[in-house]
Amino acid sequence: MSTARSSRLAGFGHYVPARRVENAEIETRLGLEPGWIERRTGIRARHWVEAGDTLTGLASKAGEAALQEAGISRGDVALTLLATSTPDHLLPPSAPLLAHRLGLANCGAIDLAGACSGFLYALTLADGFVRAQGRPVLVVAANILSRRINPAEKASAVLFADAAGAVVIEPCDDQDKGLIGVDLASDGSGYDLITIPAGGSRRPFAPGMAAEDVLMTMRDGREVFVRAVEMMAACADRALADAGIGAADVSRFVPHQANVRIFDAVCGNLGIEPSKIVRTIEEHGNSSAATIPLSLSLAHKAKSFAPGEKLLLTAAGAGMTGGAVLLGM
């Protein structure tokens, strides 16, 4: 076993399906007035898969882009972490197939179910692995939520999207790079706020189940909003304290893209200038765990991260799960 002093993000990648779904299509189906979705969420459009697309297909495209940018040997990657709530199958896990498709032959591979916070959980675990083993890790977050939403439920049908984002994290000797502040959290008192009731061992799939049993439902959107703002801000505060810096030192703020009102409220609570928010929700909606790595990749593509930049990432999701990570670039 080797020991790495620190880690760094060496490559970014993302993929979104070609099919762009504008709000008007959903507003017409649900009987909503024009502009209703954008006013309440900030979303103008989202991307959904076509028939035949698979979760590992989306994930492999994002992972390939991240590996290409990192420029590392496929044989050096030691672990693939796939953060997803929509695997190809309940069994087997999807990560081994993803690693196989990417040519990662000497690599462990596991799925991680952390809902919208899944990427931050996976990134934190990857950082620990890199520090302990001194070998690179591929982290991919991907979801096909268009196949999990109930098209008749207004609270969730207007929000969710399909996408994948990925990063490569590798050993580094500079302690100012990589994960310099972390806080992970959970609050099981909100366990049933966002659910897919059937499909687990508690209530297996059965013939004749109604749509509301097998598709996503959001029990109380207002309660989700309040809890998400509180958890994201609290986790971010603790991650900043862990890094020993203040909100003014944050270069870019990359929140989970759930709703513009959520991350605007979190930004206000933290005292971060709104101009520092990385926003992708307008064109990409909410793809759960994939929103943060998607946003990182799009932001990096638009304006490469500069050495010394500090990025604050924060999320909250079903469960409830939450977390924040401060990245040094």
Side-chain angles (χ1 to χ4, degrees):
M1 180 184 295
S2 60
T3 302
R5 291 177 56 196
S6 188
S7 66
R8 75 180 190 98
L9 270 64
F12 302 86
H14 69 274
Y15 177 77
V16 295
R19 181 187 172 197
R20 183 175 183 270
V21 180
E22 296 188 0
N23 287 343
E25 178 178 332
I26 298 172
E27 288 167 342
T28 298
R29 186 182 71 236
L30 292 174
L32 302 173
E33 64 182 45
W36 189 94
I37 295 174
E38 185 174 1
R39 286 196 302 272
R40 285 162 176 77
T41 69
I43 298 169
R44 291 195 293 266
R46 76 285 293 141
H47 292 258
W48 286 353
V49 295
E50 301 283 3
D53 288 335
T54 65
L55 187 282
T56 47
L58 269 65
S60 62
K61 290 182 172 70
E64 179 65 35
L67 289 165
Q68 289 281 355
E69 184 178 35
I72 61 175
S73 168
R74 305 295 167 107
D76 290 339
V77 178
L79 180 65
T80 295
L81 297 176
L82 175 59
T84 185
S85 299
T86 58
D88 283 339
H89 304 93
L90 291 178
L91 189 73
S94 297
L97 180 58
L98 171 62
H100 172 71
R101 288 184 171 178
L102 292 172
L104 306 177
N106 303 313
C107 181
I110 58 174
D111 289 6
L112 190 152
C116 298
S117 309
F119 175 73
L120 298 185
Y121 275 76
L123 189 63
T124 302
L125 295 173
D127 174 68
F129 186 93
V130 169
R131 290 172 187 265
Q133 295 288 326
R135 296 179 61 193
V137 175
L138 173 66
V139 179
V140 182
N143 280 295
I144 297 179
L145 292 165
S146 62
R147 293 178 182 162
R148 286 295 197 181
I149 57 176
N150 183 343
E153 184 188 79
K154 181 173 65 174
S156 58
V158 303
L159 297 174
F160 291 105
D162 307 334
V167 299
V168 172
I169 181 168
E170 66 178 11
C172 175
D173 289 330
D174 188 342
Q175 294 186 1
D176 292 327
K177 294 186 182 297
L179 278 68
I180 58 176
V182 174
D183 184 78
L184 301 179
S186 68
D187 180 4
S189 69
Y191 181 78
D192 62 348
L193 288 171
I194 304 173
T195 63
I196 297 175
S201 59
R202 177 181 290 187
R203 190 179 177 192
F205 288 130
M209 279 187 163
E212 57 265 27
D213 294 323
V214 298
L215 298 175
M216 187 188 308
T217 184
M218 186 180 299
R219 182 171 60 83
D220 187 338
R222 178 60 187 171
E223 181 69 11
V224 171
F225 178 94
V226 171
R227 286 176 179 253
V229 170
E230 181 179 289
M231 182 172 278
M232 289 169 69
C235 289
D237 266 332
R238 291 191 290 265
L240 288 167
D242 186 39
I245 68 170
D249 298 311
V250 172
S251 307
R252 301 193 219 185
F253 178 49
V254 190
H256 166 49
Q257 307 284 306
N259 183 309
V260 291
R261 294 183 298 126
I262 289 178
F263 52 75
D264 284 347
V266 172
C267 191
N269 289 350
L270 295 172
I272 293 175
E273 290 293 329
S275 61
K276 294 181 179 180
I277 301 176
V278 174
R279 298 173 182 263
T280 59
I281 191 171
E282 290 84 357
E283 287 297 313
H284 297 286
N286 178 355
S287 52
S288 188
T291 70
I292 289 180
L294 170 67
S295 298
L296 286 171
S297 183
L298 288 167
H300 179 60
K301 184 176 181 180
K303 181 183 178 183
S304 295
F305 298 127
E309 278 197 79
K310 293 179 175 60
L311 314 180
L312 178 61
L313 325 176
T314 186
M320 302 230 355
T321 63
V325 167
L326 193 70
L327 288 175
M329 303 306 291

